[in-house]
Amino acid sequence: MRQWLFLCMTGLESIAPLVRSVEETPEPIATEVCGTIPTWIRGSLLRNGPGKFEFGNQHYNHWFDGMAMLHQFKIEDGKVTYRSRFLQSDAYKKNSERNRIMVSEFGTVAMPDPCKNFFLRFLSRFEMIEATDNASVSFVKYKGDCFVSTETNYMYRVDPESLETQNKVDWTKFIAVNMATAHPHTEPDGTTYNMGNSYGRKGALYNIIKVPPMKNNPEETLEGAKVLCSIVPADKARPSYYHSFAMSENYVVFIEQSIKMDLLKIVTAKLRGKGISEGIYWDPKQDTVFHLVDKHTGQTSSVKFHTKALSVFHQINAYEEDGFLMLDMCCSDNGEAINTYVIQNLRKSGEALDQAYNNMYRAFPRRFVLPLNVTNDTPTGVNLNTRPASSATSFKTAIDKVVCQFEDLHGEDLYEYGGLEFPQINYSKFNTRPYRYFYGCGFRHLVGDSLLKIDLEGKKVKVWYQKGLFPSEPVFVPSPDAVEEDDGVILSVVVTFYLSVQDKSTFLLVLNAKTWEELGRAEVPVNIPYGFHGTFNPTA
């Protein structure tokens, strides 16, 4: 693979301090602003991620397991305050009360309570692992309300102003799904789409979920949600794992990838003393299949689009044009990255850390061009992608099968920056539409170490990088008088372990999204762990 020509790293700095437990800061504290924060930015950057990795003498095994910590950077009149709170989930409260891990997480199984007698401890081994409510992945909105979510059936509604935990919401009380992703898509009118699996006697199903935009009373959460359609996995006992999905103007696109879930291993995980993660594996022999679902009718296209085995966590955008659906996403040619992010790896140093990084495949932005009008009369053996200047290919090989090959959405210089993940666009104006720019983190480390902007016209990259600083997912905020797509700013929380060194502290970074120049930063006098996802919540 070409990426290996550029990405062997040596002498990587230890990032262990970025994945250690921190204390919450429930009351807002002032930050020191260096440079200028535009006064038109009014609202809060909300961030989610793990903030506590042990209870008593027990510790979590995987980065995804840490207890959810919610962060708020409130921006007003060029000033910024910071606060954080632990999500008051049942998992967090049970663990805190007993000062031990009482609730199993993705990579950590809770051991039987030593206070129980031997017989009860023995019986507890035969119980299935209960779904955690540790909603540590993202901030999302349904019906105008703010929620934090993970990849189980539980979410929590939270107050975006105080970060206080409000009510727990269970998807299974509203529709027949056992989980939902933390990456829904929202239309301009507030209608929200998501995906979730259901498990029954006949095996697993992938379900497309639709949540209406309005509520009849302030207490409503997911009332009115419905399953738009269900898709049968290629192997019901080993469905694909998925972290997100794509959406264009008229279609939901489900990517059935080559990361698989062995349901037998998952349901017997507790019996075997293993975490759920032990049941997730990479199968390079399986094609990746794109399923298209009509958002208006719920009908699934009989034509399936196949490509080679790929690993996908995040999509960039999807849009329809001239009879084609452009599907842009960050892809890796190997799906074992989940197992790389165990705490043990993240806390390595020296040659062991270099080896952990160099053994991992990185993700790169790629485009698939899917022809929408494939019929019985469509010829085989002919590239159906007739778009000029596109190197992607699509060949019909059977009545209901099209084999696709991607085109790169980047130049050779992106290999130097370790690929790109945590992609973001000007979502409110350009999601499901033709677009020119996307943003993300470069990965010359196990976590993001640079901020990247890619211009699809020429596939040029702009880079923000400072040694020893680790920026989070970039969030685009459009300026109020925006004319062009990139008129606005990028917000990113930058963390480091050089807290006491001048110019190297934890801070909120503000970049001019057009020029990629730093406008200002708001330095925070407390440590913040490296997190996952966030959103900008504008002041009403």
Side-chain angles (χ1 to χ4, degrees):
M1 297 302 296
R2 286 177 295 165
Q3 60 178 321
W4 294 105
L5 298 176
F6 297 88
L7 296 182
C8 282
M9 303 291 290
T10 58
L12 290 174
E13 299 171 287
S14 169
I15 56 170
L18 308 186
V19 286
R20 285 183 179 157
S21 300
V22 299
E23 299 296 324
E24 63 181 1
T25 307
E27 297 302 321
I29 58 175
T31 66
E32 182 178 345
V33 174
C34 301
T36 302
I37 307 242
T39 54
W40 58 260
I41 307 175
R42 298 179 64 85
S44 296
L45 177 66
L46 304 173
R47 294 275 302 159
N48 198 353
K52 186 173 177 60
F53 298 94
E54 67 284 314
F55 286 91
N57 61 2
Q58 297 181 347
H59 61 84
Y60 291 113
N61 299 323
H62 201 283
W63 189 25
F64 298 173
D65 298 345
M67 292 291 98
M69 182 174 238
L70 315 182
H71 309 265
Q72 177 205 68
F73 291 84
K74 190 170 186 178
I75 309 170
E76 191 171 315
D77 298 327
K79 299 179 180 179
V80 181
T81 59
Y82 168 78
R83 77 189 327 164
S84 64
R85 290 182 186 270
F86 282 110
L87 178 70
Q88 296 299 302
S89 63
D90 290 343
Y92 178 81
K93 289 188 285 189
K94 289 177 182 178
N95 296 341
S96 298
E97 288 169 3
R98 300 297 298 271
N99 198 29
R100 64 186 302 270
I101 296 173
M102 299 291 294
V103 178
S104 296
E105 299 292 340
F106 176 73
T108 306
V109 60
M111 300 309 293
D113 189 341
C115 295
K116 293 181 178 179
N117 64 41
F118 173 82
F119 182 68
L120 290 177
R121 291 201 303 273
F122 174 77
L123 283 182
S124 71
R125 285 285 195 181
F126 294 88
E127 299 171 356
M128 281 187 58
I129 292 178
E130 292 185 18
T132 180
D133 64 346
N134 177 35
S136 64
V137 177
S138 187
F139 273 87
V140 298
K141 279 194 172 181
Y142 292 97
K143 302 184 181 183
D145 286 340
C146 193
F147 295 83
V148 289
S149 61
T150 181
E151 296 184 336
T152 69
N153 54 300
Y154 296 118
M155 299 190 302
Y156 275 91
R157 183 156 51 183
V158 298
D159 183 339
E161 286 299 312
S162 67
L163 296 185
E164 290 181 351
T165 304
Q166 296 180 330
N167 52 310
K168 182 176 178 177
V169 179
D170 182 352
W171 279 96
T172 66
K173 304 298 184 185
F174 300 93
I175 51 176
V177 297
N178 297 96
M179 54 80 69
T181 81
H183 289 290
H185 278 290
T186 303
E187 299 199 312
D189 70 349
T191 300
T192 306
Y193 293 85
N194 206 338
M195 285 199 61
N197 282 3
S198 57
Y199 306 103
R201 287 179 296 176
K202 296 182 179 180
L205 292 173
Y206 311 120
N207 302 287
I208 312 295
I209 304 165
K210 184 176 182 179
V211 181
M214 305 298 292
K215 52 185 179 181
N216 297 316
N217 64 72
E219 300 305 314
E220 275 195 14
T221 55
L222 298 175
E223 281 82 356
K226 66 177 182 179
V227 172
L228 190 63
C229 81
S230 298
I231 299 169
V232 179
D235 183 345
K236 287 187 175 183
R238 295 176 177 84
S240 288
Y241 166 81
Y242 54 93
H243 182 71
S244 60
F245 63 99
M247 185 178 80
S248 67
E249 181 181 2
N250 295 296
Y251 296 94
V252 169
V253 185
F254 169 55
I255 298 100
E256 188 173 20
Q257 63 179 334
S258 308
I259 303 177
K260 300 295 181 179
M261 299 188 296
D262 187 321
L263 297 185
L264 180 60
K265 283 189 175 181
I266 289 173
V267 299
T268 60
K270 190 171 183 180
L271 175 64
R272 296 179 295 109
K274 302 290 186 179
I276 292 171
S277 60
E278 294 282 333
I280 297 179
Y281 66 99
W282 167 245
D283 186 354
K285 297 179 181 179
Q286 293 291 318
D287 278 359
T288 297
V289 181
F290 306 130
H291 301 263
L292 271 58
V293 177
D294 189 306
K295 287 158 55 177
H296 310 293
T297 66
Q299 292 295 313
T300 303
S301 171
S302 61
V303 177
K304 307 302 177 187
F305 299 88
H306 289 242
T307 192
K308 67 175 187 176
L310 292 174
S311 165
V312 181
F313 279 88
H314 302 109
Q315 286 74 45
I316 305 168
N317 199 3
Y319 65 92
E320 300 157 42
E321 191 173 63
D322 301 328
F324 295 93
L325 190 152
M326 269 55 70
L327 176 60
D328 298 350
M329 51 193 188
C330 293
C331 307
S332 172
D333 295 312
N334 183 285
E336 297 178 352
I338 290 178
N339 297 323
T340 301
Y341 285 95
V342 294
I343 296 294
Q344 182 182 9
N345 278 346
L346 294 171
R347 292 179 179 171
K348 284 179 177 177
S349 60
E351 292 183 5
L353 176 59
D354 295 345
Q355 183 178 9
Y357 175 81
N358 291 324
N359 286 339
M360 184 179 71
Y361 279 67
R362 261 67 74 192
F364 289 85
R366 297 168 175 174
R367 170 171 292 175
F368 292 86
V369 178
L370 312 182
L372 293 173
N373 301 311
V374 178
T375 67
N376 290 345
D377 297 328
T378 301
T380 59
V382 177
N383 181 13
L384 302 179
N385 178 20
T386 56
R387 293 176 62 82
S390 173
S391 60
T393 61
S394 298
F395 288 90
K396 178 183 173 184
T397 61
I399 292 176
D400 58 355
K401 183 177 180 180
V402 174
V403 175
C404 303
Q405 173 64 31
F406 62 84
E407 65 175 297
D408 291 326
L409 293 183
H410 62 89
E412 294 289 335
D413 49 1
L414 187 59
Y415 293 107
E416 178 184 347
Y417 298 104
L420 183 148
E421 251 294 357
F422 293 141
Q424 290 287 313
I425 62 171
N426 182 344
Y427 189 94
S428 62
K429 294 293 179 64
F430 289 89
N431 188 52
T432 76
R433 300 175 184 176
Y435 71 113
R436 179 175 173 180
Y437 305 103
F438 63 95
Y439 317 95
C441 288
F443 274 76
R444 285 183 295 195
H445 211 304
L446 292 177
V447 298
D449 75 330
S450 63
L451 290 171
L452 308 177
K453 174 186 180 180
I454 291 187
D455 183 349
L456 288 173
E457 292 188 9
K459 300 179 180 178
K460 299 174 183 177
V461 62
K462 289 184 177 180
V463 182
W464 182 93
Y465 168 78
Q466 291 184 21
K467 183 177 174 58
L469 302 183
F470 300 91
S472 69
E473 170 188 65
V475 174
F476 179 84
V477 181
S479 61
D481 54 353
V483 175
E484 298 185 0
E485 180 182 340
D486 58 349
D487 284 341
V489 298
I490 289 292
L491 303 180
S492 176
V493 179
V494 180
V495 297
T496 184
F497 37 83
Y498 295 118
L499 188 61
S500 61
V501 180
Q502 186 178 3
D503 297 327
K504 289 188 175 181
S505 64
T506 300
F507 57 90
L508 173 67
L509 174 68
V510 184
L511 295 181
N512 181 319
K514 183 175 291 293
T515 66
W516 218 237
E517 295 174 348
E518 181 175 334
L519 297 175
R521 58 178 69 179
E523 298 183 347
V524 181
V526 296
N527 281 313
I528 299 175
Y530 196 90
F532 296 142
H533 297 288
T535 188
F536 183 74
N537 190 48
T539 299

